[in-house]
Each structure stands twice: as C-alpha cells, then as structure tokens.
Amino acid sequence: MYAIIESGGKQFKVAVGDVIRVEKLDAEPGSSHKFGNVLMCADESGVKIGSPYLAGAGVAAVVTKQDKAKKVIVYKYKAKKGFHKKKGHRQPFTELRIESISV
C-alpha cells in the first residue's frame, strides 16, 4: 500500500516504514504529525484518486529529526570587472518516518 501526499508545495510517494525529508515543520523530534493532504492512495483493492484530495484519508508519521541540509554555495562574478560575491545557504528540513496510511 502506498499514498501520494502533499507537503510544502511538493508531492511525495510514501509507504509504511519510509523515511522522507520535507520542508521544515513546526514539530518536535519524537512527536507525531498527520498529513490530511492525500492526493492518491493505492492498495490491493485498487487505486483511489482525489479531486484534489481524498476525503477522510490521512497519513500518520513520527518526526525523527529537525536538521539543515548540506551547504549550497552561490558564487557570482563578472568577467574582467573584479566583481566576486560568495554566499552560502543551508535549507532546514524535517525528517519523518511513515507509521500508517488510512483511507
């Protein structure tokens, strides 16, 4: 059984036991989080597609950690002008473990 959920403007295909990284959520590590934005759910009985979301469907997950991704370097320069600018950025994320999918 798997489902497609929406979080942070992105879509994720999840199954029970999967570990996913989503945009930062306001939740403490060890707490539970429920996704109500389920776009599609598939199991042995068939596929259910929402328009846009499935009514009454949900995905329960446990927050495993809050962290930042690896640093991304942004480097700008203009040829023959002596202009250089270096900037770094670390995007925060929340890591979740999928516990259950309900339809």
Side-chain angles (χ1 to χ4, degrees), residues 75-86:
Y75 189 76
K76 297 179 181 181
Y77 83 102
K78 299 208 182 275
K80 297 179 232 160
K81 303 295 179 195
F83 173 78
H84 297 272
K85 184 187 264 186
K86 183 177 179 180

Side-chain angles (χ1 to χ4, degrees), residues 4-103:
I4 296 180
I5 60 171
E6 184 180 56
S7 177
K10 299 175 181 70
Q11 297 176 2
F12 300 91
K13 179 182 174 184
V14 298
V16 175
D18 286 354
V19 176
I20 61 170
R21 287 183 171 183
V22 298
E23 293 291 323
K24 184 173 170 133
L25 301 173
D26 188 23
E28 294 296 319
S31 66
S32 62
H33 185 79
K34 184 165 167 81
F35 292 99
N37 297 343
V38 179
L39 300 165
M40 186 187 96
C41 188
D43 57 5
E44 54 277 344
S45 64
V47 177
K48 297 177 184 78
I49 300 174
S51 63
Y53 304 117
L54 281 171
V59 173
V62 172
V63 177
T64 56
K65 71 177 176 178
Q66 297 275 10
D67 205 359
K68 290 183 180 180
K70 291 177 107 176
K71 184 173 273 195
V72 176
I73 302 296
V74 179
Y75 189 76
K76 297 179 181 181
Y77 83 102
K78 299 208 182 275
K80 297 179 232 160
K81 303 295 179 195
F83 173 78
H84 297 272
K85 184 187 264 186
K86 183 177 179 180
K87 190 173 185 180
H89 173 73
R90 292 184 70 191
Q91 184 70 26
F93 68 87
T94 302
E95 191 174 87
L96 301 160
R97 187 179 66 249
I98 306 300
E99 294 292 314
S100 66
I101 299 172
S102 61
V103 181

